[in-house]
Amino acid sequence: MDLRTILVTGLRILATCVLLAVSFAIGGALSGIDKIAQQTVASQAASPANPVPAMPDNLLRGFLIFTLCVGGTLSYLILRSRWHGWMLAGALFVSMYGISTVASQLDSIAFLSSKLPQGMIRAIFVQGAIAEALFAPLAVLALGKWRAALVRAPMAPAAAPKLAAIPLRVTILVAAFVFLYMFFGYYVAWRNPELQRYYGGQELATFWAAWKHNWMSSPWIYALTAFRALIYVVCL
């Protein structure tokens, strides 16, 4: 690959990251999330018992890191894809919406329906749909994959997995996802005292104690997590 091709590809990937950020901003504006957030802040400001939480200083930096990581990853997938045009854009939209919105917001529906402002969860789903619908075709166009390449590099045909091996693979992936979800939930999220107070939880001495507690008190959490894992597998 010559220097010009590297520079052009790099600029295309950077443009894709910018398109991702702009698409999310447009989705947020059209879905009404900004208005709901402003109303929530205003209502909390009017109530001395509910102080307004401070805006994190690193919010912009976190969004920038998110945009570069996600935009770069999706660019790699688009550039490596055998598909092009609307077929590639459609597959990208379904996969992105399923992973970044549907699967991730199942937790919001299960745990935060009574805590988030009214209409917030619906607005998040609408924002994701708008953002991904805008981003998918624009990203395919920006990365030069709207039309089939005139000269295609030789690629070996994709080998289809054996049908008998699929259930075992899916079972392993689901089990791994459930374990990792609970593992990081305990060692990363549940170590935060503010998070414990927010959910009304209790301190649990070990990971296995937390696993047993959840199994005894809320076994549906494991079914919900397994369902999320299936969504990830299908979208991927």
Side-chain angles (χ1 to χ4, degrees), residues 120-139:
M120 176 63 80
I121 296 179
R122 180 194 63 81
I124 292 175
F125 276 89
V126 174
Q127 179 200 24
I130 295 174
E132 270 95 58
L134 289 173
F135 173 76
L138 291 176

Side-chain angles (χ1 to χ4, degrees), residues 9 14 28 40 44 53 63 84 103 110 128 150 159-160 163 178 186 193 227:
T9 303
L14 183 60
T40 303
Q44 289 178 338
F63 182 68
H84 63 275
L150 297 179
L163 188 61
V178 172
Y186 178 79
F227 181 63

Side-chain angles (χ1 to χ4, degrees), residues 44-65:
Q44 289 178 338
S47 175
N50 296 311
V52 180
M55 185 67 69
D57 296 332
N58 60 350
L59 181 63
L60 182 59
R61 183 180 64 182
F63 182 68
L64 177 62
I65 294 173

